[in-house]
Amino acid sequence: MTIDQTNSLDTDGIPEALQEYEQWICWRITDRDGKATKVPIIPSTGEYASATDPETWRPFDEALEYLERGDAAGIGFVFTEDDPFVGIDLDDCRDPETGSPSTDAREIIVELDSFTEISPSGTGYHVIVRGSLPGDRSRRGSVEMYEMARFFTVTGDHVDATPARVRERSASLEAVYNEYIAEIDSSAEPGQQTLDADHDSDGDVNTGTSSQQPTLEDEELLEKAQSASNGEKFDRLWRGSTTGYESQSEADMALCCLLAFWSGDAARVDRLFRRSGLIREKWDDVHYSDGSTYGEKTVERAIANTDDVYDPSSGEGTVQREPRDGSTSTEQTVGGTDGARAAYLAEKNQLLSERVADFETTLEEKNERIKELEADNRMLREQLDACEEQLEELEQQSELETGAETDGEDASIWNRARRFVRDGNE
């Protein structure tokens, strides 16, 4: 089914400075756990795109052409470390009926004084400036700032009171960052802590599906996972792609093993998985005799088969190995791929075990089916033999009846002949 939303895109309102970069993707809306989610796709192919894979990005004209064909719902711009842009996402701060922004949103937009557009939902704003993030944090509440590894949906629905071009606003960016993003003490006024209690009505910079407010620690963990040596694989699974796996169950296990490596905590693995593109109703279905759900058992197996866990307390970025056989634990460095390799091996071992179990189950089912077919075959042969016997009996009976009729006719003709001869002699 094609999606036609090209009327919501005003190409004249998109700054040329953005159009010049070949960092464009398209997006479509998919239903994930009952929530409409924007999924990035590659213009021209419709396959999953990634904010960390330049091979999936295209020039602006190609993205626009794909959108105009009706195969996507919109276009988006990917922020990278090679461009000078920072995107500020303000959610749930605009009344779509009156067009009025909240007080905090108005202050942020005025302070930044750069290109600003209305988000696809009409309930938020995107501000794009030239500059760099002043710190390591990227969000607090409903205010988010990103300069790499994220994409913004782009509408071109320019806010008239703001500049039509992207301006250099480093000082203003730092001021907004310090007030709305940076760490705050517990005595801060409630209004200074968040722009709004809700978050991400447009889903521009994440593909989460859970209504639960994600913590900063979760966001940092996801960023590390996406930036690791196997980050492309993680990002692909996180977005819901099952490419390379024979079933979604295998993809589920793969993502859980990766999450187990980075978090080491079953509750956190479950919480994060529910935000991924792989989440489905089956996750909460009871599949085992002990009452365990499919999701619970998948997480349990992933944790059990992941010995190496990332240790964020170490400045060297290490993982703490916790063997289940009681032997002495050892440390390995993530940067040298040992940790990623261990997580990969644990994942592969689990997948192989699952596959062997599936094969065994399939083999048993086939053997049972063969037995059933053999029994059916015997029954059919017995029925065929009985039918053949009945057919022989019917043929014999038919021959007897035919013979009797023939004998009777011969006798009748002979009698008539005898009478004819006798009558003639008389």
Side-chain angles (χ1 to χ4, degrees):
M1 180 180 69
T2 59
I3 305 171
D4 185 8
Q5 292 191 6
T6 55
N7 291 333
S8 64
L9 179 67
D10 183 1
T11 55
D12 293 334
I14 301 175
E16 293 185 1
L18 297 179
Q19 298 183 31
E20 293 173 355
Y21 284 82
E22 297 185 358
Q23 297 168 196
W24 292 87
I25 52 88
C26 288
W27 55 268
R28 61 170 172 252
I29 298 176
T30 60
D31 183 83
R32 290 178 176 172
D33 197 26
K35 177 180 179 181
T37 304
K38 294 180 177 63
V39 177
I41 57 177
I42 304 173
S44 76
T45 68
E47 299 176 350
Y48 286 113
S50 169
T52 60
D53 183 5
E55 296 296 324
T56 65
W57 312 336
R58 297 292 185 270
F60 175 77
D61 291 341
E62 289 188 23
L64 185 60
E65 179 182 356
Y66 190 73
L67 174 66
E68 291 175 343
R69 284 166 46 187
D71 296 324
I75 63 176
F77 181 81
V78 180
F79 294 91
T80 75
E81 59 183 351
D82 297 326
D83 66 56
F85 306 118
V86 176
I88 299 89
D89 186 25
L90 310 177
D91 279 319
D92 299 318
C93 57
R94 178 181 182 273
D95 187 328
E97 295 183 0
T98 64
S100 300
S102 67
T103 300
D104 287 337
R106 180 183 291 106
E107 292 179 356
I108 292 174
I109 293 172
V110 170
E111 176 66 30
L112 292 175
D113 192 27
S114 185
F115 170 75
T116 303
E117 68 171 14
I118 300 172
S119 63
S121 69
T123 61
Y125 299 96
H126 298 154
V127 186
I128 301 178
V129 303
R130 295 178 183 268
S132 299
L133 284 182
D136 296 330
R137 296 171 64 105
S138 58
R139 64 186 282 185
R140 194 172 82 221
S142 292
V143 181
E144 304 180 58
M145 295 184 179
Y146 294 99
E147 61 180 352
M148 61 178 295
R150 289 293 188 275
F151 83 93
F152 272 13
T153 57
V154 176
T155 64
D157 190 0
H158 176 238
V159 177
D160 293 335
T162 67
R165 62 186 181 89
V166 181
R167 302 181 62 188
E168 169 64 43
R169 303 296 291 164
S170 296
S172 296
L173 183 64
E174 182 174 4
V176 172
Y177 180 91
N178 290 335
E179 181 174 358
Y180 291 95
I181 299 292
E183 292 282 358
I184 59 174
D185 56 46
S186 58
S187 61
E189 293 295 328
Q192 294 177 321
Q193 297 182 23
T194 61
L195 182 67
D196 192 282
D198 296 327
H199 169 69
D200 199 15
S201 61
D202 287 298
D204 293 323
V205 294
N206 67 62
T207 55
T209 59
S210 174
S211 59
Q212 177 182 1
Q213 181 77 2
T215 64
L216 175 64
E217 291 76 13
D218 285 347
E219 295 305 312
E220 291 178 343
L221 181 149
L222 292 174
E223 289 182 5
K224 288 182 179 295
Q226 291 170 331
S227 302
S229 59
N230 60 349
E232 182 180 346
K233 173 185 178 180
F234 178 90
D235 190 59
R236 186 169 60 250
L237 289 166
W238 180 255
R239 289 182 285 108
S241 172
T242 60
T243 302
Y245 298 91
E246 293 189 0
S247 67
Q248 181 166 342
S249 295
E250 290 191 3
D252 293 344
M253 178 59 68
L255 179 58
C256 283
C257 284
L258 292 173
L259 291 173
F261 166 76
W262 287 105
S263 69
D265 177 71
R268 197 175 191 188
V269 171
D270 177 77
R271 182 174 72 246
L272 289 171
F273 187 92
R274 291 177 183 277
R275 294 180 54 197
S276 78
L278 290 177
I279 190 64
R280 48 182 170 157
E281 292 182 2
K282 179 181 178 181
W283 189 254
D284 292 316
D285 290 345
V286 176
H287 271 231
Y288 301 90
S289 58
D290 63 356
S292 298
T293 64
Y294 167 78
E296 290 171 341
K297 193 65 69 174
T298 301
V299 172
E300 177 185 322
R301 291 172 176 172
I303 293 291
N305 286 275
T306 305
D307 293 327
D308 298 303
V309 179
Y310 175 67
D311 181 10
S313 64
S314 171
E316 301 296 326
T318 62
V319 292
Q320 183 70 40
R321 182 173 176 81
E322 299 178 356
R324 294 184 296 277
D325 57 6
S327 60
T328 304
S329 64
T330 60
E331 289 188 350
Q332 298 176 324
T333 302
V334 174
T337 71
D338 288 345
R341 179 63 178 171
Y344 170 78
L345 291 176
E347 171 197 332
K348 293 301 291 183
N349 287 336
Q350 178 61 31
L351 291 177
L352 288 173
S353 298
E354 292 286 335
R355 189 170 297 176
V356 169
D358 289 340
F359 285 158
E360 290 177 347
T361 300
T362 301
L363 183 59
E364 291 179 0
E365 292 175 351
K366 288 184 177 180
N367 288 335
E368 290 295 326
R369 181 57 179 163
I370 289 173
K371 292 180 180 179
E372 292 177 358
L373 292 174
E374 289 177 345
D376 291 342
N377 187 39
R378 287 194 300 270
M379 181 182 66
L380 291 173
R381 285 187 176 278
E382 291 175 356
Q383 293 177 351
L384 180 60
D385 291 341
C387 288
E388 289 178 346
E389 292 178 359
Q390 293 178 2
L391 181 60
E392 290 179 358
E393 293 177 358
L394 290 173
E395 288 178 346
Q396 292 175 359
Q397 182 177 353
S398 176
E399 290 176 355
L400 292 174
E401 291 178 352
T402 301
E405 292 176 357
T406 302
D407 292 343
E409 291 178 358
D410 292 342
S412 177
I413 293 173
W414 177 249
N415 290 332
R416 287 199 300 273
R418 291 176 62 184
R419 288 195 302 270
F420 174 77
V421 172
R422 184 176 61 249
D423 294 340
N425 290 332
E426 294 178 353

